[in-house]
mmCIF file of all heavy atoms in Angstrom:
data_model
loop_
_atom_site.group_PDB
_atom_site.id
_atom_site.type_symbol
_atom_site.label_atom_id
_atom_site.label_comp_id
_atom_site.label_asym_id
_atom_site.label_seq_id
_atom_site.Cartn_x
_atom_site.Cartn_y
_atom_site.Cartn_z
ATOM 1 N N MET A 51 6.162 -11.079 13.450
ATOM 2 C CA MET A 51 5.868 -11.768 12.191
ATOM 3 C C MET A 51 4.427 -11.687 11.877
ATOM 4 O O MET A 51 4.028 -11.456 10.710
ATOM 5 C CB MET A 51 6.333 -13.225 12.313
ATOM 6 C CG MET A 51 7.801 -13.465 12.514
ATOM 7 S SD MET A 51 8.147 -15.209 12.594
ATOM 8 C CE MET A 51 9.794 -15.183 13.266
ATOM 9 N N ALA A 52 3.599 -11.805 12.894
ATOM 10 C CA ALA A 52 2.122 -11.770 12.690
ATOM 11 C C ALA A 52 1.753 -10.361 12.175
ATOM 12 O O ALA A 52 0.880 -10.201 11.307
ATOM 13 C CB ALA A 52 1.375 -12.100 13.933
ATOM 14 N N SER A 53 2.349 -9.330 12.761
ATOM 15 C CA SER A 53 2.109 -7.958 12.292
ATOM 16 C C SER A 53 2.519 -7.791 10.849
ATOM 17 O O SER A 53 1.791 -7.172 10.100
ATOM 18 C CB SER A 53 2.942 -7.003 13.195
ATOM 19 O OG SER A 53 2.925 -5.741 12.641
ATOM 20 N N GLN A 54 3.684 -8.341 10.448
ATOM 21 C CA GLN A 54 4.128 -8.233 9.047
ATOM 22 C C GLN A 54 3.235 -8.981 8.122
ATOM 23 O O GLN A 54 2.937 -8.499 7.031
ATOM 24 C CB GLN A 54 5.582 -8.789 8.989
ATOM 25 C CG GLN A 54 6.604 -7.924 9.683
ATOM 26 C CD GLN A 54 7.935 -8.602 9.848
ATOM 27 O OE1 GLN A 54 8.070 -9.833 9.781
ATOM 28 N NE2 GLN A 54 8.944 -7.800 10.064
ATOM 29 N N MET A 55 2.666 -10.092 8.613
ATOM 30 C CA MET A 55 1.733 -10.887 7.742
ATOM 31 C C MET A 55 0.393 -10.055 7.544
ATOM 32 O O MET A 55 -0.226 -10.149 6.510
ATOM 33 C CB MET A 55 1.444 -12.247 8.359
ATOM 34 C CG MET A 55 2.590 -13.211 8.276
ATOM 35 S SD MET A 55 3.205 -13.470 6.557
ATOM 36 C CE MET A 55 4.606 -12.409 6.471
ATOM 37 N N GLY A 56 0.017 -9.297 8.609
ATOM 38 C CA GLY A 56 -1.121 -8.449 8.401
ATOM 39 C C GLY A 56 -0.884 -7.397 7.315
ATOM 40 O O GLY A 56 -1.776 -7.131 6.483
ATOM 41 N N ASP A 57 0.295 -6.839 7.367
ATOM 42 C CA ASP A 57 0.735 -5.875 6.327
ATOM 43 C C ASP A 57 0.749 -6.503 4.962
ATOM 44 O O ASP A 57 0.252 -5.944 3.913
ATOM 45 C CB ASP A 57 2.095 -5.309 6.708
ATOM 46 C CG ASP A 57 2.475 -4.105 5.854
ATOM 47 O OD1 ASP A 57 1.680 -3.715 4.958
ATOM 48 O OD2 ASP A 57 3.588 -3.578 6.105
ATOM 49 N N ILE A 58 1.351 -7.711 4.850
ATOM 50 C CA ILE A 58 1.440 -8.368 3.612
ATOM 51 C C ILE A 58 0.039 -8.749 3.045
ATOM 52 O O ILE A 58 -0.198 -8.567 1.860
ATOM 53 C CB ILE A 58 2.251 -9.705 3.766
ATOM 54 C CG1 ILE A 58 3.716 -9.382 3.981
ATOM 55 C CG2 ILE A 58 2.106 -10.594 2.575
ATOM 56 C CD1 ILE A 58 4.437 -8.853 2.821
ATOM 57 N N ALA A 59 -0.886 -9.157 3.922
ATOM 58 C CA ALA A 59 -2.242 -9.534 3.520
ATOM 59 C C ALA A 59 -2.940 -8.312 2.876
ATOM 60 O O ALA A 59 -3.595 -8.435 1.855
ATOM 61 C CB ALA A 59 -3.009 -10.091 4.661
ATOM 62 N N GLU A 60 -2.798 -7.134 3.531
ATOM 63 C CA GLU A 60 -3.403 -5.977 3.033
ATOM 64 C C GLU A 60 -2.818 -5.562 1.690
ATOM 65 O O GLU A 60 -3.463 -5.109 0.796
ATOM 66 C CB GLU A 60 -3.402 -4.799 4.050
ATOM 67 C CG GLU A 60 -4.510 -3.770 3.771
ATOM 68 C CD GLU A 60 -3.936 -2.389 3.562
ATOM 69 O OE1 GLU A 60 -2.723 -2.187 3.698
ATOM 70 O OE2 GLU A 60 -4.761 -1.438 3.294
ATOM 71 N N SER A 61 -1.467 -5.682 1.549
ATOM 72 C CA SER A 61 -0.793 -5.355 0.321
ATOM 73 C C SER A 61 -1.309 -6.252 -0.839
ATOM 74 O O SER A 61 -1.536 -5.781 -1.903
ATOM 75 C CB SER A 61 0.722 -5.512 0.457
ATOM 76 O OG SER A 61 1.219 -4.608 1.364
ATOM 77 N N ALA A 62 -1.450 -7.549 -0.504
ATOM 78 C CA ALA A 62 -1.983 -8.448 -1.479
ATOM 79 C C ALA A 62 -3.402 -8.046 -1.909
ATOM 80 O O ALA A 62 -3.733 -8.121 -3.124
ATOM 81 C CB ALA A 62 -1.948 -9.852 -0.984
ATOM 82 N N LEU A 63 -4.221 -7.638 -0.960
ATOM 83 C CA LEU A 63 -5.608 -7.254 -1.247
ATOM 84 C C LEU A 63 -5.578 -6.001 -2.170
ATOM 85 O O LEU A 63 -6.329 -5.977 -3.137
ATOM 86 C CB LEU A 63 -6.333 -6.939 0.000
ATOM 87 C CG LEU A 63 -7.731 -6.313 -0.123
ATOM 88 C CD1 LEU A 63 -8.677 -7.329 -0.789
ATOM 89 C CD2 LEU A 63 -8.264 -5.898 1.281
ATOM 90 N N LYS A 64 -4.740 -5.039 -1.858
ATOM 91 C CA LYS A 64 -4.717 -3.822 -2.703
ATOM 92 C C LYS A 64 -4.249 -4.103 -4.112
ATOM 93 O O LYS A 64 -4.759 -3.522 -5.046
ATOM 94 C CB LYS A 64 -3.822 -2.758 -2.011
ATOM 95 C CG LYS A 64 -4.389 -2.192 -0.770
ATOM 96 C CD LYS A 64 -3.685 -0.978 -0.257
ATOM 97 C CE LYS A 64 -2.284 -1.328 0.268
ATOM 98 N NZ LYS A 64 -1.644 -0.160 0.880
ATOM 99 N N ARG A 65 -3.271 -4.963 -4.228
ATOM 100 C CA ARG A 65 -2.822 -5.394 -5.583
ATOM 101 C C ARG A 65 -3.904 -6.107 -6.319
ATOM 102 O O ARG A 65 -4.097 -5.910 -7.540
ATOM 103 C CB ARG A 65 -1.512 -6.237 -5.473
ATOM 104 C CG ARG A 65 -0.317 -5.461 -5.026
ATOM 105 C CD ARG A 65 0.932 -6.371 -4.984
ATOM 106 N NE ARG A 65 1.384 -6.699 -6.338
ATOM 107 C CZ ARG A 65 2.181 -5.935 -7.041
ATOM 108 N NH1 ARG A 65 2.571 -4.738 -6.559
ATOM 109 N NH2 ARG A 65 2.544 -6.332 -8.237
ATOM 110 N N ARG A 66 -4.622 -6.956 -5.663
ATOM 111 C CA ARG A 66 -5.685 -7.696 -6.312
ATOM 112 C C ARG A 66 -6.826 -6.715 -6.740
ATOM 113 O O ARG A 66 -7.427 -6.958 -7.825
ATOM 114 C CB ARG A 66 -6.262 -8.697 -5.304
ATOM 115 C CG ARG A 66 -7.347 -9.603 -5.889
ATOM 116 C CD ARG A 66 -7.851 -10.589 -4.809
ATOM 117 N NE ARG A 66 -8.888 -11.464 -5.300
ATOM 118 C CZ ARG A 66 -8.690 -12.606 -5.935
ATOM 119 N NH1 ARG A 66 -7.496 -13.070 -6.114
ATOM 120 N NH2 ARG A 66 -9.748 -13.391 -6.328
ATOM 121 N N MET A 67 -7.065 -5.714 -5.943
ATOM 122 C CA MET A 67 -8.149 -4.761 -6.309
ATOM 123 C C MET A 67 -7.619 -3.616 -7.197
ATOM 124 O O MET A 67 -8.393 -2.778 -7.675
ATOM 125 C CB MET A 67 -8.699 -4.100 -5.007
ATOM 126 C CG MET A 67 -9.396 -5.138 -4.068
ATOM 127 S SD MET A 67 -10.790 -5.937 -4.877
ATOM 128 C CE MET A 67 -10.117 -7.588 -5.047
ATOM 129 N N GLY A 68 -6.313 -3.561 -7.404
ATOM 130 C CA GLY A 68 -5.731 -2.555 -8.271
ATOM 131 C C GLY A 68 -5.745 -1.105 -7.673
ATOM 132 O O GLY A 68 -5.946 -0.137 -8.462
ATOM 133 N N VAL A 69 -5.621 -1.021 -6.356
ATOM 134 C CA VAL A 69 -5.617 0.295 -5.707
ATOM 135 C C VAL A 69 -4.286 0.502 -4.974
ATOM 136 O O VAL A 69 -3.633 -0.451 -4.569
ATOM 137 C CB VAL A 69 -6.801 0.468 -4.710
ATOM 138 C CG1 VAL A 69 -8.085 0.315 -5.481
ATOM 139 C CG2 VAL A 69 -6.705 -0.582 -3.628
ATOM 140 N N LYS A 70 -3.917 1.789 -4.788
ATOM 141 C CA LYS A 70 -2.699 2.086 -4.047
ATOM 142 C C LYS A 70 -2.924 2.150 -2.585
ATOM 143 O O LYS A 70 -2.072 1.718 -1.766
ATOM 144 C CB LYS A 70 -2.100 3.431 -4.560
ATOM 145 C CG LYS A 70 -0.838 3.861 -3.890
ATOM 146 C CD LYS A 70 -0.340 5.141 -4.420
ATOM 147 C CE LYS A 70 0.965 5.623 -3.698
ATOM 148 N NZ LYS A 70 1.416 6.924 -4.184
ATOM 149 N N ASP A 71 -4.030 2.751 -2.190
ATOM 150 C CA ASP A 71 -4.353 2.904 -0.730
ATOM 151 C C ASP A 71 -5.770 2.407 -0.462
ATOM 152 O O ASP A 71 -6.593 2.371 -1.390
ATOM 153 C CB ASP A 71 -4.274 4.405 -0.328
ATOM 154 C CG ASP A 71 -2.827 4.957 -0.486
ATOM 155 O OD1 ASP A 71 -1.918 4.279 -0.048
ATOM 156 O OD2 ASP A 71 -2.746 6.076 -1.068
ATOM 157 N N SER A 72 -6.033 2.119 0.766
ATOM 158 C CA SER A 72 -7.404 1.603 1.098
ATOM 159 C C SER A 72 -8.457 2.720 1.043
ATOM 160 O O SER A 72 -9.610 2.469 0.711
ATOM 161 C CB SER A 72 -7.432 1.037 2.566
ATOM 162 O OG SER A 72 -7.001 2.014 3.504
ATOM 163 N N SER A 73 -8.033 3.964 1.230
ATOM 164 C CA SER A 73 -8.877 5.145 1.054
ATOM 165 C C SER A 73 -7.978 6.374 1.062
ATOM 166 O O SER A 73 -6.760 6.301 1.157
ATOM 167 C CB SER A 73 -9.957 5.205 2.133
ATOM 168 O OG SER A 73 -9.390 5.666 3.357
ATOM 169 N N ALA A 74 -8.611 7.539 1.050
ATOM 170 C CA ALA A 74 -7.830 8.781 1.092
ATOM 171 C C ALA A 74 -8.240 9.588 2.386
ATOM 172 O O ALA A 74 -8.142 10.843 2.407
ATOM 173 C CB ALA A 74 -8.139 9.679 -0.144
ATOM 174 N N LEU A 75 -8.607 8.903 3.446
ATOM 175 C CA LEU A 75 -9.049 9.537 4.652
ATOM 176 C C LEU A 75 -7.857 10.392 5.324
ATOM 177 O O LEU A 75 -8.097 11.383 5.886
ATOM 178 C CB LEU A 75 -9.530 8.539 5.678
ATOM 179 C CG LEU A 75 -10.961 7.918 5.316
ATOM 180 C CD1 LEU A 75 -11.273 6.915 6.441
ATOM 181 C CD2 LEU A 75 -12.010 9.043 5.280
ATOM 182 N N ILE A 76 -6.686 9.858 5.199
ATOM 183 C CA ILE A 76 -5.502 10.491 5.850
ATOM 184 C C ILE A 76 -4.622 10.971 4.732
ATOM 185 O O ILE A 76 -3.910 10.250 4.089
ATOM 186 C CB ILE A 76 -4.703 9.516 6.736
ATOM 187 C CG1 ILE A 76 -5.626 8.779 7.676
ATOM 188 C CG2 ILE A 76 -3.669 10.279 7.531
ATOM 189 C CD1 ILE A 76 -5.010 7.633 8.424
ATOM 190 N N PRO A 77 -4.635 12.299 4.440
ATOM 191 C CA PRO A 77 -3.900 12.845 3.260
ATOM 192 C C PRO A 77 -2.448 12.450 3.349
ATOM 193 O O PRO A 77 -1.727 12.649 4.372
ATOM 194 C CB PRO A 77 -4.106 14.364 3.431
ATOM 195 C CG PRO A 77 -5.360 14.490 4.162
ATOM 196 C CD PRO A 77 -5.395 13.340 5.114
ATOM 197 N N GLY A 78 -1.969 11.810 2.291
ATOM 198 C CA GLY A 78 -0.561 11.414 2.193
ATOM 199 C C GLY A 78 -0.247 10.069 2.836
ATOM 200 O O GLY A 78 0.852 9.593 2.723
ATOM 201 N N HIS A 79 -1.202 9.525 3.531
ATOM 202 C CA HIS A 79 -0.950 8.262 4.239
ATOM 203 C C HIS A 79 -1.997 7.201 3.948
ATOM 204 O O HIS A 79 -1.964 6.161 4.554
ATOM 205 C CB HIS A 79 -0.946 8.526 5.778
ATOM 206 C CG HIS A 79 0.213 9.350 6.225
ATOM 207 N ND1 HIS A 79 1.490 8.857 6.422
ATOM 208 C CD2 HIS A 79 0.288 10.714 6.479
ATOM 209 C CE1 HIS A 79 2.289 9.810 6.804
ATOM 210 N NE2 HIS A 79 1.629 10.952 6.820
ATOM 211 N N GLY A 80 -2.955 7.463 3.076
ATOM 212 C CA GLY A 80 -3.964 6.434 2.734
ATOM 213 C C GLY A 80 -5.099 6.442 3.752
ATOM 214 O O GLY A 80 -5.594 7.468 4.198
ATOM 215 N N GLY A 81 -5.498 5.263 4.103
ATOM 216 C CA GLY A 81 -6.687 5.037 4.976
ATOM 217 C C GLY A 81 -6.337 4.372 6.290
ATOM 218 O O GLY A 81 -5.117 4.101 6.548
ATOM 219 N N LEU A 82 -7.306 4.153 7.117
ATOM 220 C CA LEU A 82 -7.048 3.496 8.419
ATOM 221 C C LEU A 82 -6.568 2.053 8.214
ATOM 222 O O LEU A 82 -5.770 1.579 8.983
ATOM 223 C CB LEU A 82 -8.330 3.536 9.247
ATOM 224 C CG LEU A 82 -8.788 4.919 9.694
ATOM 225 C CD1 LEU A 82 -9.975 4.758 10.701
ATOM 226 C CD2 LEU A 82 -7.719 5.713 10.395
ATOM 227 N N PHE A 83 -7.123 1.371 7.186
ATOM 228 C CA PHE A 83 -6.664 0.021 6.940
ATOM 229 C C PHE A 83 -5.210 -0.012 6.627
ATOM 230 O O PHE A 83 -4.451 -0.927 7.040
ATOM 231 C CB PHE A 83 -7.470 -0.557 5.751
ATOM 232 C CG PHE A 83 -7.510 -2.031 5.667
ATOM 233 C CD1 PHE A 83 -8.252 -2.687 4.736
ATOM 234 C CD2 PHE A 83 -6.847 -2.845 6.624
ATOM 235 C CE1 PHE A 83 -8.284 -4.091 4.645
ATOM 236 C CE2 PHE A 83 -6.846 -4.247 6.581
ATOM 237 C CZ PHE A 83 -7.581 -4.800 5.560
ATOM 238 N N ASP A 84 -4.655 0.985 5.927
ATOM 239 C CA ASP A 84 -3.245 1.051 5.623
ATOM 240 C C ASP A 84 -2.388 1.252 6.897
ATOM 241 O O ASP A 84 -1.271 0.801 6.951
ATOM 242 C CB ASP A 84 -2.950 2.227 4.641
ATOM 243 C CG ASP A 84 -3.674 2.080 3.367
ATOM 244 O OD1 ASP A 84 -3.625 0.946 2.814
ATOM 245 O OD2 ASP A 84 -4.253 2.993 2.838
ATOM 246 N N ARG A 85 -2.939 1.927 7.866
ATOM 247 C CA ARG A 85 -2.170 2.231 9.116
ATOM 248 C C ARG A 85 -2.318 1.151 10.161
ATOM 249 O O ARG A 85 -1.488 1.037 10.983
ATOM 250 C CB ARG A 85 -2.707 3.616 9.708
ATOM 251 C CG ARG A 85 -2.570 4.762 8.759
ATOM 252 C CD ARG A 85 -1.179 5.341 8.745
ATOM 253 N NE ARG A 85 -0.126 4.474 8.202
ATOM 254 C CZ ARG A 85 0.109 4.382 6.878
ATOM 255 N NH1 ARG A 85 -0.576 5.032 6.018
ATOM 256 N NH2 ARG A 85 1.094 3.576 6.400
ATOM 257 N N PHE A 86 -3.419 0.399 10.131
ATOM 258 C CA PHE A 86 -3.685 -0.594 11.158
ATOM 259 C C PHE A 86 -3.605 -2.047 10.729
ATOM 260 O O PHE A 86 -3.981 -2.944 11.457
ATOM 261 C CB PHE A 86 -5.059 -0.329 11.843
ATOM 262 C CG PHE A 86 -5.118 0.969 12.569
ATOM 263 C CD1 PHE A 86 -5.699 2.103 12.031
ATOM 264 C CD2 PHE A 86 -4.645 1.002 13.913
ATOM 265 C CE1 PHE A 86 -5.739 3.292 12.780
ATOM 266 C CE2 PHE A 86 -4.686 2.188 14.613
ATOM 267 C CZ PHE A 86 -5.265 3.324 14.061
ATOM 268 N N ASP A 87 -3.123 -2.289 9.461
ATOM 269 C CA ASP A 87 -3.080 -3.677 9.014
ATOM 270 C C ASP A 87 -2.184 -4.538 9.875
ATOM 271 O O ASP A 87 -2.516 -5.655 10.155
ATOM 272 C CB ASP A 87 -2.653 -3.688 7.536
ATOM 273 C CG ASP A 87 -1.381 -2.865 7.282
ATOM 274 O OD1 ASP A 87 -0.772 -2.317 8.236
ATOM 275 O OD2 ASP A 87 -0.986 -2.790 6.039
ATOM 276 N N GLY A 88 -1.025 -4.007 10.289
ATOM 277 C CA GLY A 88 -0.130 -4.764 11.128
ATOM 278 C C GLY A 88 -0.753 -4.988 12.500
ATOM 279 O O GLY A 88 -0.563 -6.120 13.054
ATOM 280 N N LEU A 89 -1.432 -4.055 13.037
ATOM 281 C CA LEU A 89 -2.087 -4.226 14.375
ATOM 282 C C LEU A 89 -3.165 -5.289 14.273
ATOM 283 O O LEU A 89 -3.436 -6.026 15.216
ATOM 284 C CB LEU A 89 -2.702 -2.897 14.802
ATOM 285 C CG LEU A 89 -3.222 -2.878 16.242
ATOM 286 C CD1 LEU A 89 -2.142 -3.142 17.243
ATOM 287 C CD2 LEU A 89 -3.888 -1.470 16.547
ATOM 288 N N LEU A 90 -3.806 -5.419 13.123
ATOM 289 C CA LEU A 90 -4.871 -6.444 12.951
ATOM 290 C C LEU A 90 -4.220 -7.851 13.023
ATOM 291 O O LEU A 90 -4.750 -8.719 13.690
ATOM 292 C CB LEU A 90 -5.565 -6.252 11.583
ATOM 293 C CG LEU A 90 -6.438 -4.996 11.451
ATOM 294 C CD1 LEU A 90 -7.033 -4.975 10.067
ATOM 295 C CD2 LEU A 90 -7.525 -4.901 12.529
ATOM 296 N N GLY A 91 -3.090 -7.970 12.345
ATOM 297 C CA GLY A 91 -2.434 -9.270 12.374
ATOM 298 C C GLY A 91 -1.983 -9.650 13.750
ATOM 299 O O GLY A 91 -2.065 -10.749 14.213
ATOM 300 N N ALA A 92 -1.432 -8.600 14.483
ATOM 301 C CA ALA A 92 -0.947 -8.833 15.817
ATOM 302 C C ALA A 92 -2.087 -9.166 16.787
ATOM 303 O O ALA A 92 -1.950 -10.013 17.669
ATOM 304 C CB ALA A 92 -0.203 -7.580 16.316
ATOM 305 N N SER A 93 -3.213 -8.517 16.597
ATOM 306 C CA SER A 93 -4.364 -8.806 17.422
ATOM 307 C C SER A 93 -4.877 -10.216 17.241
ATOM 308 O O SER A 93 -5.221 -10.908 18.208
ATOM 309 C CB SER A 93 -5.531 -7.798 17.123
ATOM 310 O OG SER A 93 -6.673 -8.100 17.866
#
């Protein structure tokens, strides 16, 4: 659940900022924040 809340929190941030991905560092997958948001919540 904590992992999912990390994902939800980042989704809310992106909607607030009006962006689809945190960055374009990983082609087709967004940025590191997009990939590690759940791990942040779990940590």
Side-chain angles (χ1 to χ4, degrees):
M51 296 179 195
S53 169
Q54 292 167 340
M55 289 302 100
D57 191 0
I58 289 289
E60 201 236 357
S61 294
L63 173 65
K64 289 191 292 186
R65 290 181 71 84
R66 183 179 179 89
M67 297 299 109
V69 298
K70 181 180 178 182
D71 298 314
S72 60
S73 74
L75 286 179
I76 312 171
H79 294 277
L82 294 187
F83 201 178
D84 298 316
R85 302 279 67 83
F86 291 100
D87 49 5
L89 188 60
L90 294 179
S93 175

